[in-house]
Amino acid sequence: MDSKAPTWVLNAVVNKVLNEDKASAQTAAPPTGFKAFIPAPKFAGPKPGYFFSNGDKGLGYYYDAKQHADLAPEGGDTHAGGRPGAQALNPEELLKQAEEQARVDEIQLLDAKGLKRLILAFERRYKENLEQRMKYAEAPEKFMESEVDLDEHVKSLLQVASSPELYPIVVEMNVVPTLLACLMHENTDIAADVIELFRELTDSDAVDEYAEEAKGLVEAMVEANALELLVQRLSSLNEQVEEEAKAVFNCLSIFENLVEVDPGLAEALVGKTRALKWLLARIRPREFDSNKLQASELLAILAQGNEVISRKIGETNGMDTLLQCVALYKSRDPQTSEEQEFMQNCFDVLCSCIMVHENKVAFVKAEGVELMWIMLQSKKQSRYGALKLLDFASTRYGPPCDKLVDFGGLKQLFGVFMGKARIKGPKGEKDVEKEVEERSVSIISNLLQNVGPKG
């Protein structure tokens, strides 16, 4: 028996085994402390007083009055979600029954009809919360329940990411603008959950096989000013709070996903929002974390092969910022593989930017040649990026070549070329041995072509 059966198979058998009598469940209102419906993207184990189903409110846990009555102390054994006399079932038994009993070919967790119900329910909760916030602006406790309901309905839409073929319905029902409006919600938890939802909807795992559907969703997002709203919310998040730090990571992932679906959005993100300024400020602190890595990765994606964005980085004093980032590694190696990736991302952005003449001038002015020469003399991992950057900087431009000769850089260059000074790349010295030799020859060739008469 395969222990890695799909989640929907497990959901199916749970519905069958644990909730056989759900049709006869009483419809009385749940007592205090119990909710009529708890949205859930997947089965997370039995909940006493509830049955798991894909009903009229979407996928989740539905209150069962009969089962709740059975939970009373005199009701006897309440194993397996409170059904008297039922025996506890472990995951292996549930999966086995799924294979034997569930008609898996007929089961669908979410279809067009179910998605429309979810969207309409979310829209109602959004309007209710908006009205109550306006009505009870001075009494937050009176709209708190509607806040919780709205957040739960946002989470219930996470299951849409597992059905990208349904994205056209999301676009058709025009729910994207409402979701994006939630980004500006005063409740940060709701905004963070909306950000997570868009990250899941645009994730490559969800859209790889549905390129057209994904493109339609992205177009709807852009039309509803998603880029501007996401950047605006990103700027207000406090990364000292764990949940908000996660939201920052998800937000950066959304930008990466959008550019992957539509590369043309890279220039819109940089030209129409303050994203570039935020990214450059985010990679500047000396302390390293996952969001700093994600910001550097997004910068590398945006700048790669894009002269417009590379020029914009230079105009925003980005060359100086990036040189400060790599300068941290002139005398020490990155402490983790993630930090090493961050360093390489910064070098990649510099290499992309330095293809623009104005950025070469800024590189020399910021004493970039001196910094790369110091790195070449060291025995640290930064030597690989330094050699690569010097190759780009010295191509068809004389000042870096003159400075290298003045510093005595030929000694290091010929040492690298002759194999006496081994350089390790991101994956070890053997992986970059040929590239290092080629770049050494290229730099020497640049020196011969560009060094002035006094050189």
Side-chain angles (χ1 to χ4, degrees):
M1 196 272 297
D2 184 6
S3 62
K4 296 183 179 180
T7 303
W8 59 275
V9 175
L10 179 58
N11 289 336
V13 74
V14 169
N15 282 333
K16 184 175 180 63
V17 176
L18 299 183
N19 306 301
E20 293 173 346
D21 56 348
K22 65 183 180 182
S24 61
Q26 299 178 25
T27 59
T32 303
F34 282 78
K35 295 182 178 180
F37 172 62
I38 303 176
K42 63 181 179 180
F43 180 72
K47 291 184 182 294
Y50 291 86
F51 64 85
F52 186 81
S53 179
N54 187 19
D56 57 352
K57 295 183 180 180
L59 189 64
Y61 292 88
Y62 289 79
Y63 173 71
D64 186 346
K66 181 178 182 301
Q67 186 184 145
H68 181 265
D70 292 338
L71 291 174
E74 63 274 13
D77 187 5
T78 59
H79 282 68
R83 295 173 65 219
Q87 295 183 351
L89 297 176
N90 62 37
E92 290 293 322
E93 292 171 332
L94 289 173
L95 288 172
K96 182 177 180 180
Q97 291 195 34
E99 294 179 355
E100 294 175 351
Q101 300 177 17
R103 300 181 63 184
V104 297
D105 56 329
E106 296 181 5
I107 298 174
Q108 291 183 351
L109 284 185
L110 186 66
D111 56 13
K113 185 177 179 181
L115 175 55
K116 290 179 180 179
R117 286 200 302 265
L118 285 178
I119 292 175
L120 291 174
F122 161 73
E123 294 274 11
R124 285 195 299 270
R125 295 305 185 279
Y126 173 75
K127 292 178 181 177
E128 290 173 5
N129 178 246
L130 193 62
E131 291 171 357
Q132 292 196 23
R133 270 188 162 270
M134 295 175 64
K135 185 176 180 180
Y136 304 110
E138 303 300 326
E141 67 278 1
K142 293 187 177 181
F143 59 71
M144 193 56 63
E145 185 176 349
S146 71
E147 210 106 305
V148 174
D149 286 343
L150 174 60
D151 190 42
E152 288 178 348
H153 278 77
V154 170
K155 292 178 179 177
S156 73
L157 291 171
L158 283 169
Q159 60 186 296
V160 182
S162 63
S163 303
E165 69 278 5
L166 298 178
Y167 285 6
I169 295 177
V170 175
V171 176
E172 176 187 338
M173 295 191 69
N174 201 32
V175 70
V176 172
T178 308
L179 285 168
L180 289 173
C182 289
L183 288 176
M184 297 298 108
H185 202 286
E186 292 184 25
N187 188 325
T188 307
D189 290 338
I190 292 176
D193 286 335
V194 170
I195 291 173
E196 182 180 4
L197 171 61
F198 278 116
R199 182 185 68 82
E200 292 290 340
L201 292 176
T202 57
D203 188 77
S204 59
D205 292 338
V207 304
D208 275 347
E209 297 181 6
Y210 296 90
E212 289 302 317
E213 290 82 354
K215 189 173 182 180
L217 175 64
V218 169
E219 288 175 351
M221 290 174 64
V222 173
E223 186 176 344
N225 299 319
L227 297 180
E228 294 85 347
L229 291 171
L230 284 167
V231 172
Q232 187 176 344
R233 189 74 218 200
L234 177 66
S235 303
S236 68
L237 293 171
N238 178 11
E239 293 187 60
Q240 300 303 314
V241 180
E242 184 178 353
E243 291 77 10
E244 296 187 40
K246 180 182 177 182
V248 168
F249 182 90
N250 288 337
C251 200
L252 296 175
S253 298
I254 292 174
F255 293 139
E256 186 174 332
N257 295 340
L258 293 180
V259 172
E260 184 176 347
V261 173
D262 184 359
L265 291 178
E267 291 185 18
L269 178 62
V270 172
K272 297 181 180 180
T273 74
R274 298 173 62 85
L276 179 59
K277 184 177 180 179
W278 187 94
L279 290 170
L280 290 172
R282 186 60 185 83
I283 65 173
R284 190 177 291 121
R286 298 177 66 90
E287 297 78 13
F288 178 78
D289 56 39
S290 59
N291 284 347
K292 185 175 180 178
L293 171 61
Q294 190 71 6
S296 70
E297 184 174 328
L298 180 57
L299 270 174
I301 291 172
L302 294 174
Q304 185 178 16
N306 194 309
E307 183 177 339
V308 173
I309 294 178
S310 295
R311 193 179 301 277
K312 189 72 174 178
I313 291 175
E315 294 171 355
T316 319
N317 201 32
M319 295 297 292
D320 189 59
T321 297
L322 290 161
L323 286 172
Q324 290 179 35
C325 290
V326 299
L328 296 174
Y329 307 104
K330 65 181 179 183
S331 57
R332 73 170 180 89
D333 283 333
Q335 297 179 356
T336 63
S337 58
E338 289 78 13
E339 190 174 3
Q340 182 182 10
E341 185 178 351
F342 166 76
M343 179 185 71
Q344 294 301 330
N345 285 338
C346 290
F347 273 118
D348 287 344
V349 179
L350 282 166
C351 289
S352 296
C353 291
I354 212 164
M355 302 298 289
V356 177
H357 177 77
E358 291 79 2
N359 290 342
K360 289 187 177 183
V361 175
F363 174 74
V364 174
K365 185 177 180 180
E367 299 184 344
V369 179
E370 289 87 336
L371 177 60
M372 298 304 111
W373 177 65
I374 291 173
M375 290 179 172
L376 279 181
Q377 289 181 300
S378 72
K379 295 183 179 180
K380 306 301 178 182
Q381 294 178 13
S382 58
R383 287 198 300 175
Y384 170 73
L387 185 70
K388 183 178 178 181
L389 185 54
L390 280 175
D391 183 16
F392 284 107
S394 60
T395 301
R396 295 187 295 276
Y397 188 54
C401 301
D402 294 335
K403 281 183 174 288
L404 269 179
V405 173
D406 292 341
F407 295 151
L410 288 173
K411 179 180 178 181
Q412 280 76 31
L413 286 173
F414 277 102
V416 171
F417 176 66
M418 298 298 293
K420 295 180 180 180
R422 292 197 173 275
I423 294 180
K424 291 184 178 181
K427 299 180 181 180
E429 58 186 56
K430 289 186 178 179
D431 296 304
V432 297
E433 185 175 345
K434 183 177 181 180
E435 180 186 352
V436 166
E437 181 180 333
E438 291 174 349
R439 294 203 178 278
S440 300
V441 173
S442 178
I443 294 174
I444 294 172
S445 174
N446 292 337
L447 294 178
L448 294 174
Q449 296 179 53
N450 300 317
V451 170
K454 296 181 180 181

